[in-house]
């Protein structure tokens, strides 16, 4: 498909270039033909005049009134000149055809490459998303089939199936929400809605949101409020910290500690979220921000629920705020995710 589009785009480039080139060649041919005729007439007239001055009379010659009459010209010579001009123009046009064909092909490739990459990425996204959606849908389907096969299910069995189904529906909800967020943050961001926000404000809101989940696992979230001002969307920044806290809680053992630290370095504000969790293997670090990427340690253990979308959403949010994310992690000891944002 890419090659067909490339060839058809090259053909369009060629068609436009050749139309322009042939148009100009026709104009050049007409103008130059007239010029040749005019030049030939002037030369002829000069010779006649010179001969006349020397007293040489040419029979049947009368000084031609301008414009110079054509019957005094040499038609064979004129025709030869015109044909030569035509040949030069044809060769030039063939040259333009070959060169613009080659250049057009290269240019068409370069023009279509980003579109191809975008389409490949979109196809990959659709196939990954479908794959992730398939698992909870299959579980739901088999739960309902088992239920229907039983002629007289007990209330207890019905409730169990309902509970399992709700778990799967919740998973579907989380996944669709994440997919929607990812699509939302991938769009060009409206920076005009950014306001000046205090770091304490959105970090405290994120902590309050995640506290009940942390409490269930007896995880303590430590935060020493230090205020720096940054420019951004308060609610989106809160969701950003929620993503890191959610991961920190999810990948940490019971009764552990999560620390949030805010520091300043040059013109940047650094927000670090440190946990004492399972950590990330060195080989996984370059990929954890990729969509749907889950490290084997997270994937293999059923307790760590997730779809590998959180960090890719976080990356998009931080990029939309002109910042970046740093990670340092020791496998088995814990991880630190640092969000670096421009300071106001
Ligand atoms: P999810 O957590 O839903 O799998 P994320 O995109 O948030 O997806 O994270 C991608 C992967 O990065 C996770 O699967 C996990 O392997 C790793 N990861 C992220 N945060 C942490 C953390 N705090 N501790 C250990 N591993 C982490």
């Amino acid at each position: 498909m890419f090659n067909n589009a490339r060839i058809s785009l090259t053909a369009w480039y060629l068609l436009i270039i050749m139309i322009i080139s042939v148009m100009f060649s026709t104009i050049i041919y007409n103008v130059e033909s007239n010029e040749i005729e005019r030049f030939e007439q002037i030369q002829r007239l000069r010779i006649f005049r010179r001969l006349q001055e020397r007293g040489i009379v040419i029979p049947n010659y009368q000084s031609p009134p301008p414009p110079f009459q054509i019957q005094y010209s040499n038609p064979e010579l004129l025709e030869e000149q015109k044909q030569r001009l035509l040949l030069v123009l044809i060769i030039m046009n063939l040259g333009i055809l070959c060169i613009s064909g080659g250049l057009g092909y290269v240019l068409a490739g370069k023009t279509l490459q980003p579109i191809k990459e975008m389409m490949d990425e979109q196809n990959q996204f659709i196939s990954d998303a479908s794959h992730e959606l398939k698992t909870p849908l299959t579980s739901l389907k088999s739960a309902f089939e088992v239920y229907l096969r039983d002629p007289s299910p007990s209330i207890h069995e019905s409730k169990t199936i309902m509970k399992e189904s709700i778990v799967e529906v919740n998973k579907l909800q989380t996944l669709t929400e994440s997919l929607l967020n990812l699509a939302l943050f991938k769009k060009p961001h409206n920076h005009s809605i950014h306001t000046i926000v205090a770091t304490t404000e959105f970090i405290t809101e994120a902590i309050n949101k995640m506290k009940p989940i942390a409490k269930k696992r007896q995880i303590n979230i430590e935060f020493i409020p230090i205020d720096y001002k940054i420019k951004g969307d308060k609610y989106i920044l809160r969701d950003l910290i929620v993503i890191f806290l959610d991961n920190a809680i999810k990948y940490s053992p019971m009764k552990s500690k999560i620390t949030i630290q805010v520091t300043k370095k040059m013109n940047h504000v650094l927000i670090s979220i440190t946990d004492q969790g399972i950590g990330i293997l060195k080989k996984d670090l370059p990929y954890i921000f990729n969509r749907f990427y889950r490290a084997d340690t997270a994937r293999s253990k059923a307790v760590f629920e997730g779809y590998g979308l959180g960090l890719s959403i976080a990356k998009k949010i931080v990029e939309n705020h002109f910042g970046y994310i740093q990670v340092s992690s020791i496998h088995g000891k814990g991880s630190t995710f640092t969000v670096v944002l421009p300071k106001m």
Side-chain angles (χ1 to χ4, degrees), residues 286-335:
Y287 309 106
I288 55 170
F289 293 96
N290 291 358
R291 249 175 6 205
F292 294 108
Y293 186 85
R294 303 201 76 207
D296 290 340
T297 35
R299 205 184 284 272
S300 58
K301 294 191 184 165
V303 279
F304 305 129
E305 268 182 21
Y307 295 99
L309 289 173
L311 288 183
S312 50
I313 295 172
K315 190 172 171 237
K316 292 273 169 255
I317 295 177
V318 175
E319 280 171 1
N320 281 336
H321 285 78
F322 308 106
Y324 56 94
I325 305 171
Q326 291 173 333
V327 198
S328 65
S329 186
I330 301 172
H331 190 236
K333 288 242 159 98
S335 317

Side-chain angles (χ1 to χ4, degrees), residues 262-302:
V262 182
T263 49
K264 186 188 80 147
K265 197 174 177 187
M266 313 266 266
N267 293 327
H268 287 91
V269 174
L270 282 68
I271 306 167
S272 306
I273 299 105
T274 306
D275 63 57
Q276 300 171 326
I278 60 169
I280 305 162
L281 285 171
K282 254 204 177 93
K283 73 170 177 69
D284 290 317
L285 277 176
Y287 309 106
I288 55 170
F289 293 96
N290 291 358
R291 249 175 6 205
F292 294 108
Y293 186 85
R294 303 201 76 207
D296 290 340
T297 35
R299 205 184 284 272
S300 58
K301 294 191 184 165

Side-chain angles (χ1 to χ4, degrees), residues 191-249:
H191 294 112
S192 63
I193 55 165
H194 284 186
T195 52
I196 296 173
V197 208
T199 46
T200 315
E201 202 181 337
F202 63 85
I203 294 174
T204 314
E205 274 187 32
I207 293 172
N208 289 341
K209 199 171 170 188
M210 295 309 289
K211 239 181 198 163
I213 302 169
K215 208 172 169 188
K216 265 192 209 165
R217 309 203 60 214
Q218 296 173 39
I219 292 172
N220 189 28
I221 303 175
E222 262 182 24
F223 170 52
I224 303 152
I226 300 174
D227 234 357
Y228 289 112
K229 301 269 188 290
I230 55 168
K231 202 167 179 215
D233 185 310
K234 186 176 113 177
Y235 301 104
I236 293 176
L237 288 170
R238 178 202 59 196
D239 292 346
L240 172 75
I241 305 299
V242 165
I243 292 173
F244 291 113
L245 279 179
D246 183 46
N247 277 347
I249 296 168

